[in-house]
Structures are given as structure tokens and as C-alpha cells.
Amino acid sequence: NWSTDDFSKSRLIVNWGANPENSAPNQGMPLAILNALQKGTLLVDIRPMLDPLASKADVWLPVRPGTDCALALAFLNVIINEKLYDFDFVEKWCYGFDKLVAHVHQYPPEWAAPITGIAAARIREVARMIATIKPMFLKTGNGIGDQTTDGTSTIMATSLISAITGNLDIPGGYYAAPFPVGPSLIKLNRISTLPEKAPPDFV
């Protein structure tokens, strides 16, 4: 979960395959991001088209459609090989990190460049930004999730980026703060549980 208030605490926002300027105005997201940018927060926008929010970005990566997973793997390769990850967070919370290290070794930026259409040097530059500017909020959208054939793998890879850089459960990062919930607009009746419906001698 996240709150639009958290954007003001982010030093870097990575908008990846999302279209918040058109899909989330009723959540206050475009205004919250623009307010954060005015206060000095950096923005990396990763999507093929130079949409309105991308035009405000410090870095726009026009990734070739459908190749986001390759880009994410190359980011992980740089972050791990250059030892830019959060050692304490990985040691305490990340199970199987050694397997991730071995897996992403085969996906350097030079491998991803001809696939994604983004130069290897540019991939390294952005990977270093993502790893070293904290708190970093990585916002993903349907463009790399349920609207692609490898969406599950892509979301897993981007989630790993947030995890190994220590940007989970911190204000300004991917913060597990509940949304504020107002009163229900619909009258709800309590639902009986199964034990309450079962006969007294039920085992």
C-alpha cells in the first residue's frame, strides 16, 4: 500500500509503465507527484511514449514495448555487481539472494541494450540512481503488468529492485501504510462464521 502523501518524502520516483496523469487524477496522484518534483524530488519515467508526466522527468527511458523485464534484469545486474544494494536489508529480509546474484549475472546492460533500445551506459546510469538515491518509490503500472505476456516476471523483477535497495516499508519508498478509510457508504451486515453455523457436536 502507499499514500499520495509519501511522494513528498521520496527523493526519487520511478514511474514504470504507469499512466497516473490520466488513470489516477481522482486519487490525487498527478498533483502529488508534481508537488514532489517542485520540492526537488527526481523523476525517472520508463515507458515508450513521451507522455505528459514523462515530459517533466529528469530521465525518460523510452523502452521498447514488451522488453521491460530485460531492463529490470539489467538494473539488477548493475545494482548487484557494483554492490550498490542495501547489505543490511538483504541480510535481514531477503531469502535466496545468492540465487538472485547467480541468475542476474547473465543479464548485463550490454545484453539488454539491443533488446530494450536503451544504451548500456544509460542503463547503468539509471540503475545507479535507483540504487543510491533513497527513499526511492518505484511505481509500476498495467503497461508492464497485466497487459504484457511476461508481466508476472516483470513485476517480480521490479519488486526485487525495491527490495534489495532497501526501499520497502519506509516512508517515501514502497511504504506499507494503510490507506485512510472513511465511513462505509453502504450498510453492511455481519457475516456468520462457519463455526457459528456448525452443529454443537461437529468435529
Side-chain angles (χ1 to χ4, degrees), residues 20 32 59 63 72 76 87 91 104 107 130 132 138 152 158 161 163 169 183:
V59 177
V63 63
L76 287 166
F87 282 74
E91 177 68 23
V104 301
Y107 303 117
I130 289 172
T132 59
L138 199 161
T152 299
T158 57
I161 292 170
D169 202 21

Side-chain angles (χ1 to χ4, degrees), residues 31-97:
L31 181 59
I33 293 175
L34 292 175
N35 286 342
L37 299 186
Q38 287 185 343
K39 294 178 180 178
T41 299
L42 300 177
L43 173 65
V44 171
D45 199 289
I46 307 174
R47 50 181 157 171
M49 296 179 65
L50 186 63
D51 285 317
L53 184 60
S55 70
K56 306 287 186 185
D58 297 274
V59 177
W60 170 50
L61 290 185
V63 63
R64 182 174 290 128
T67 66
D68 300 272
C69 192
L71 180 60
L73 289 169
F75 282 161
L76 287 166
N77 175 282
V78 174
I79 293 167
I80 290 173
N81 285 344
E82 296 189 7
K83 301 191 184 307
L84 301 175
Y85 56 90
D86 187 317
F87 282 74
D88 292 337
F89 189 90
V90 166
E91 177 68 23
K92 187 173 182 180
W93 298 107
C94 297
Y95 175 77
F97 182 70

